Amino acid sequence: MSHQNAQEVLESIFGYNQFRGPQQDVVEHLAQGGDALVLMPTGGGKSLCYQIPALLRPGLAIVVSPLIALMQNQVEALQQLGVEAAFLNSSLQADEAYQLQQRILSGDIKILYVAPERLMLSSFLSLLDEVQAHIGLALFAIDEAHCVSQWGHDFRPEYRQLTILHERFPDVPRVALTATADAPTRAEIIERLNLEHARQFISSFDRPNIRYRIVLKNNARQQLEQFLETEHPNDAGIVYCLSRRKVDETAAWLQSRGWNALPYHAGLDAATREKHQRQFLREEGIIMVATIAFGMGIDKPNVRFVAHLDLPKSMESYYQETGRAGRDGLQANAWMAYGLGDVVSMRQMLDSGDAPEERKRVERQKLDALLGFCEATGCRHQGILRYFGEAHPGDCAQCDNCLTPPDTWNATEAARMALSCVYRTGQRFGTGHLIDILIGKVTPQVERFNHQQVSTFGIGKQYSVAQWSSVFRQLAASGLLEVDIAAYGGLRLTEAARPVLRGECEVWQRQDPTPAGNRMSKAERSSRAKEAFAGAQDDPLWQALRA
Ligand code: ADP
Ligand code: MG
């Protein structure tokens, strides 16, 4: 397949002049029949990576996609471009599905979007046999491939069965695509989908035009308004809150202050949601105050800011949500007010849920990674990319930490104690146990492993548990320690830890503000957690943990 053809399709059908990032390489590789794994940030242009080869290759292309709404949007967009596309999911009536099947068998359809549970039905697999025999299968595209990962927030058990496709149709090229790029997820996708031999296309996750800023919360509304007044008096943006009630209250308050704000959450009726979404997309300068129900599939290029009044639940969420700003490549702001009290509520939510202990542990680690990032003193762009396993060349010179370096203390001694404690206990324990050893607390686990005998036992009594927690989080966020999620969350040293242990360099950490949560009574903490839990109705994670 010549690359001339790919370029022609790009121009004549999609109306673009140029491929972006790795698109062209992916298209050519697939058009020639290769398998691929594509990691590209949200908005990077993953769809074209399979849509163009689908058009270049003979036969029907099958696209597996987890969300009905996304499927419908994509199919409508393709139809408007004159591409014969259709979707097959539970929203179709039996007779509609039957008609579609006839169109497929007569070769009328070029790209078919299918829900994963539909794909596994034996009736559908027999249909594919027939297609294969008479029309041919162009390729299988597995979109949002991170849904195979049981550690992710979007785990879909049906994705696990997608290897059937490969077993049944070994000669049809496959491509898996995702915006979730951390190393464990990537490894899991490759393993679960049998993509060991697929070529990997990884594009940078850096968003150089986004300016990240994280402030400590004292009066969030006032802080938000000041941010809006000084930097975004007339701009479109999104303000994220955890609960529906807070969305309603914040939107009403902003309106009362003369701002052009609208609420959006899953508790509003469909008509209102659609109206607000349309206004946001079409009118200028609307501030959408929303829960995470807002955002998936929203493609508005000139969102100038994303503000968080509550902590997202992980680095992935933070990256996804802030990533909705500045899609047009122009300067945009990601602003967050972060309160240690919120962290305490979130922890409590995690702990009090009925989810399996294993799941809670993973979520706790994800929250800790985000927290470590909040506390970090280094460049935010570097912090984000490090989390996704990518290096960033130098400081960005525009994030909060680069512009105004935070107050720090010389944590070299504490860091050495922490790192050597990790080392002396075999690099397989989590923060809680390591802190017990450092402060010299005898727990059943300490006794079981005979860790009173370790040379770091009790050497860190001068710091509180909260201080040690912060030290560990910051060591992880700055890349001196790494968490092995698959191996029960044990902490391991990285190469970067060696010079610290050898006394060759110093470690400076952010002054740890006293966590507000520590001053709260237990009852107060748990009632705050309950409230937060009940409020987070739009977040499937919190709801799943509670269930
Ligand atoms: P992803 O699935 O990676 O989040 P999409 O495939 O939905 O991203 O694409 C995001 C936006 O970028 C869409 O509006 C799409 O039309 C646009 N886009 C993709 N590729 C190109 C390109 N080569 N030139 C211009 N715009 C593009
Ligand atoms: Mg996509």
Side-chain angles (χ1 to χ4, degrees):
M1 209 54 58
S2 79
H3 114 223
Q4 189 60 27
N5 284 339
Q7 182 69 30
E8 272 167 25
V9 171
L10 179 73
E11 289 176 26
S12 65
I13 298 186
F14 292 94
Y16 299 130
N17 325 319
Q18 272 180 338
F19 281 108
R20 258 196 211 157
Q23 278 177 337
Q24 183 170 347
D25 291 342
V26 180
V27 167
E28 285 173 5
H29 181 69
L30 282 169
Q32 285 159 9
D35 291 339
L37 173 66
V38 177
L39 304 178
M40 215 188 256
T42 304
K46 288 184 285 298
S47 318
L48 284 189
C49 292
Y50 57 83
Q51 288 168 346
I52 293 183
L55 299 178
L56 293 174
R57 289 179 62 84
L60 173 72
I62 304 290
V63 182
V64 183
S65 173
L67 280 180
I68 292 184
L70 284 186
M71 236 184 255
Q72 291 173 343
N73 284 347
Q74 297 243 11
V75 167
E76 271 165 34
L78 285 169
Q79 286 171 343
Q80 271 166 20
L81 298 172
V83 174
E84 296 295 343
F87 59 79
L88 188 56
N89 58 37
S90 55
S91 74
L92 293 189
Q93 304 293 329
D95 58 327
E96 290 174 313
Y98 177 76
Q99 278 168 19
L100 177 57
Q101 196 166 326
Q102 297 312 305
R103 288 182 62 206
I104 291 170
L105 287 172
S106 59
D108 272 357
I109 305 287
K110 213 36 222 162
I111 304 184
L112 181 68
Y113 283 76
V114 191
E117 55 276 11
R118 187 51 86 120
L119 197 75
M120 290 308 122
L121 297 181
S122 61
S123 57
F124 186 77
L125 290 170
S126 332
L127 174 68
L128 286 188
D129 287 337
E130 243 180 290
V131 171
Q132 165 86 326
H134 302 295
I135 297 157
L137 285 166
L139 57 86
F140 293 121
I142 299 163
D143 206 1
E144 314 292 348
H146 59 277
C147 292
V148 294
S149 165
Q150 63 172 321
W151 308 121
H153 295 133
D154 303 320
F155 178 46
R156 293 284 297 261
E158 311 87 39
Y159 262 65
R160 291 275 167 104
Q161 283 148 36
L162 292 175
T163 44
I164 293 183
L165 294 176
H166 181 51
E167 285 152 19
R168 194 146 166 158
F169 308 100
D171 298 330
V172 179
R174 295 175 302 150
V175 54
L177 310 100
T178 180
T180 302
D182 58 288
T185 311
R186 196 189 312 169
E188 217 184 340
I189 293 173
I190 292 172
E191 191 198 323
R192 294 283 172 186
L193 296 178
N194 272 324
L195 285 168
E196 287 82 2
H197 301 293
R199 206 166 127 193
Q200 297 186 19
F201 297 88
I202 302 172
S203 54
S204 173
F205 277 62
D206 193 23
R207 298 291 307 274
N209 61 316
I210 299 183
R211 200 188 283 155
Y212 300 98
R213 193 176 343 161
I214 299 173
V215 303
L216 212 55
K217 206 186 265 190
N218 49 54
N219 181 337
R221 280 183 180 177
Q222 211 177 356
Q223 288 169 295
L224 174 68
E225 185 164 45
Q226 196 187 355
F227 164 69
L228 295 175
E229 267 167 2
T230 47
E231 296 178 56
H232 299 286
N234 300 302
D235 291 334
I238 307 173
V239 176
Y240 279 111
C241 306
L242 184 63
S243 72
R244 294 175 186 176
R245 194 179 73 194
K246 189 156 164 190
V247 164
D248 289 332
E249 289 170 358
T250 308
W253 180 79
L254 283 172
Q255 285 162 2
S256 77
R257 308 278 300 171
W259 295 93
N260 205 351
L262 294 172
Y264 188 104
H265 56 71
L268 295 170
D269 60 85
T272 309
R273 281 205 310 265
E274 205 169 318
K275 185 169 137 238
H276 290 180
Q277 174 166 332
R278 209 174 327 114
Q279 277 180 274
F280 180 73
L281 293 177
R282 305 226 173 113
E283 294 170 22
E284 296 293 310
I286 301 234
I287 300 173
M288 192 67 110
V289 185
T291 62
I292 61 159
F294 183 71
M296 250 282 213
I298 299 283
D299 188 17
K300 181 179 170 69
N302 61 339
V303 175
R304 290 272 68 80
F305 69 89
V306 168
H308 279 96
L309 289 183
D310 292 303
L311 267 186
K313 62 195 168 232
S314 63
M315 284 296 285
E316 286 91 344
S317 306
Y318 177 74
Y319 179 81
Q320 289 277 350
E321 287 154 28
T322 55
R324 295 183 179 127
R327 289 260 180 104
D328 53 11
L330 302 174
Q331 193 75 70
N333 278 309
W335 181 93
M336 174 157 80
Y338 121 87
L340 288 159
D342 301 349
V343 175
V344 175
S345 320
M346 284 178 102
R347 284 247 174 75
Q348 196 98 24
M349 277 162 76
L350 283 174
D351 292 342
S352 62
D354 293 329
E357 204 38 54
E358 179 77 351
R359 173 88 199 251
K360 290 199 227 167
R361 182 177 58 70
V362 172
E363 299 309 331
R364 232 175 270 136
Q365 275 156 4
K366 292 195 173 206
L367 182 60
D368 265 359
L370 177 70
L371 220 48
F373 168 76
C374 291
E375 293 166 327
T377 55
C379 169
R380 301 286 185 199
H381 283 92
Q382 286 185 359
I384 291 173
L385 291 186
R386 188 181 304 117
Y387 183 80
F388 291 116
E390 190 182 328
H392 185 272
D395 290 350
C396 72
Q398 54 159 342
C399 69
D400 53 355
N401 285 347
C402 285
L403 291 176
T404 337
D407 286 344
T408 54
W409 64 291
N410 187 339
T412 311
E413 201 51 49
R416 265 203 232 145
M417 289 183 203
L419 296 173
S420 67
C421 190
V422 170
Y423 184 71
R424 304 242 170 255
T425 51
Q427 313 198 57
R428 60 202 175 95
F429 292 94
T431 315
H433 181 65
L434 295 164
I435 294 176
D436 287 340
I437 296 173
L438 286 163
I439 62 173
K441 186 169 165 192
V442 182
T443 66
Q445 170 144 286
V446 166
E447 286 189 321
R448 184 167 146 230
F449 291 99
N450 205 13
H451 278 162
Q452 306 99 298
Q453 305 305 322
V454 169
S455 61
T456 48
F457 185 80
I459 60 168
K461 287 189 176 131
Q462 66 270 48
Y463 303 115
S464 68
V465 172
Q467 281 169 318
W468 276 121
S469 302
S470 167
V471 166
F472 275 104
R473 280 196 302 266
Q474 294 195 52
L475 287 172
S478 59
L480 298 185
L481 284 177
E482 59 190 10
V483 183
D484 191 346
I485 291 208
Y488 301 98
L491 289 169
R492 280 189 312 235
L493 303 180
T494 66
E495 268 313 297
R498 285 167 194 258
V500 177
L501 278 169
R502 285 196 300 253
E504 291 165 7
C505 67
E506 295 190 330
V507 175
W508 289 78
Q509 292 193 339
R510 182 182 296 260
Q511 285 285 8
D512 187 32
T514 313
N518 281 3
R519 281 186 260 111
M520 275 189 249
S521 71
K522 221 176 177 174
E524 198 181 338
R525 268 206 306 249
S526 94
S527 94
R528 275 185 70 148
K530 257 191 216 122
E531 199 181 313
F533 229 154
Q537 310 99 323
D538 289 0
D539 191 324
L541 168 70
W542 295 126
Q543 297 314 317
L545 287 172
R546 188 166 65 157

